[in-house]
Amino acid sequence: MGSCRIYAPLLVLSLALAPSLSSAFAPITANTLRIMSRRAASAALSPPNVKRIRGGGAHALNMATLYCKQGEKEGSMGECPFTLKANMALRSKKVDFESVMINFAAKPEWFMKLNEKGTAPTFTTDQGKTITDSEDIISWLDETVPEGGLLKGNSDAAAVWDAGSGVFPALGKLLKNTEVGDEPELKTSLKAELQKLEDALAKRPVGGLLGGKRLVHEDCRLAPFLFHVSATVPAFKGEDVLASLPATTAYLAALSATPEFQAATCPPEGVVFGWKSKVGIKP
């Protein structure tokens, strides 16, 4: 890469001209040069006005980057539930990263070169590896980052996820429906999926995370789905479908109280804004 041809000769020249300074350059390794190269390449690809937000964490990946769907305002976090899942997982594993907001209404050419699908989340590691699926990001974290423990939960957590995995598809069908006559059935279907989750959560301590005191994979999966239900159904359908589900409501409150969720998410009105175009409402 062009950046490597710039940095490496400068380093060699400095060491040749000033041997006494060699100790100052001793920490610079081939990996450091790769990181410097990646940063230079990223700076060349990314426009200067891209909004970057530090993630913060103990396990520094020399500024790994999470590319996210932008919200209503320039530089704000968008509603993408899969980005929220990955963002929470990264924070749970104490990874140091930065978030870059992408305007999905006008995706930059440099972003499409990075991920030809143009989807979020898109995650790049310090080694230049690009991962474009939230589940793959979580798998990579468990394989690569020891801090924070394994994200994969136990069998009890997996059972709760299995019970709640149908919630988001049912929500999408209800919100995107354009046939008035189909709405009662679709709303009943969503409530049935939520009841499955309620029954599974009711068997556990009230208001606890599936990982006990820490987030696990299944928490990161369910948090965005329930957050979207809580924000969109009252806004678009005029009903709080969680009101009669105490275990689910307590679980969502516990998820919402975690620093990972609070740092990674957008406000409820941001979720509503993001869904407007999907349900045929002009923002």
Side-chain angles (χ1 to χ4, degrees), residues 159-182:
V160 175
W161 162 248
D162 288 342
S165 60
V167 168
F168 197 68
L171 174 67
K173 290 178 181 178
L174 173 63
L175 295 181
K176 295 177 182 179
N177 173 54
T178 58
E179 300 294 332
V180 176
D182 293 341

Side-chain angles (χ1 to χ4, degrees), residues 64-268:
T65 304
L66 182 68
Y67 297 90
C68 313
K69 179 183 178 182
Q70 182 173 270
E72 181 177 7
K73 297 180 180 180
E74 183 178 356
S76 66
M77 181 68 71
E79 90 292 348
C80 175
F82 307 104
T83 299
L84 175 54
K85 172 173 64 173
N87 202 333
M88 290 177 65
L90 285 162
R91 294 172 187 278
S92 180
K93 293 287 276 185
K94 310 302 180 187
V95 169
D96 193 11
F97 68 100
E98 61 183 0
S99 298
V100 175
M101 306 304 154
I102 303 297
N103 180 1
F104 268 40
K107 297 175 185 176
E109 182 180 352
W110 62 265
F111 177 67
M112 296 304 298
K113 289 180 179 179
L114 183 67
N115 174 5
E116 61 182 14
K117 296 182 294 183
T119 55
T122 295
F123 179 69
T124 56
T125 72
D126 66 319
Q127 299 298 315
K129 180 178 181 179
T130 300
I131 309 174
T132 60
D133 181 87
S134 59
E135 289 294 312
D136 291 341
I137 293 171
I138 291 177
S139 295
W140 178 85
L141 284 169
D142 268 348
E143 293 168 1
T144 309
V145 183
E147 280 79 356
L150 286 176
L151 284 165
K152 184 178 180 180
N154 59 24
S155 58
D156 289 341
V160 175
W161 162 248
D162 288 342
S165 60
V167 168
F168 197 68
L171 174 67
K173 290 178 181 178
L174 173 63
L175 295 181
K176 295 177 182 179
N177 173 54
T178 58
E179 300 294 332
V180 176
D182 293 341
E183 183 146 323
E185 181 180 352
L186 292 172
K187 190 176 287 187
T188 297
S189 177
L190 173 60
K191 290 180 178 180
E193 294 298 335
L194 285 167
Q195 189 61 54
K196 293 178 186 177
L197 178 60
E198 174 73 11
D199 293 342
L201 288 170
K203 299 175 184 178
R204 301 176 55 84
V206 176
L209 301 174
L210 300 184
K213 294 183 179 180
R214 68 180 183 90
L215 292 168
V216 291
H217 185 176
E218 292 78 7
D219 290 313
C220 296
R221 281 172 153 179
L222 286 168
F225 294 175
L226 292 176
F227 181 46
H228 277 235
V229 169
S230 70
T232 59
V233 181
F236 294 117
K237 303 301 177 181
E239 182 178 354
D240 182 0
V241 292
L242 298 180
S244 61
L245 305 173
T248 303
T249 300
Y251 176 56
L252 177 57
L255 290 168
S256 302
T258 63
E260 293 87 352
F261 180 91
Q262 293 176 4
T265 194
C266 64

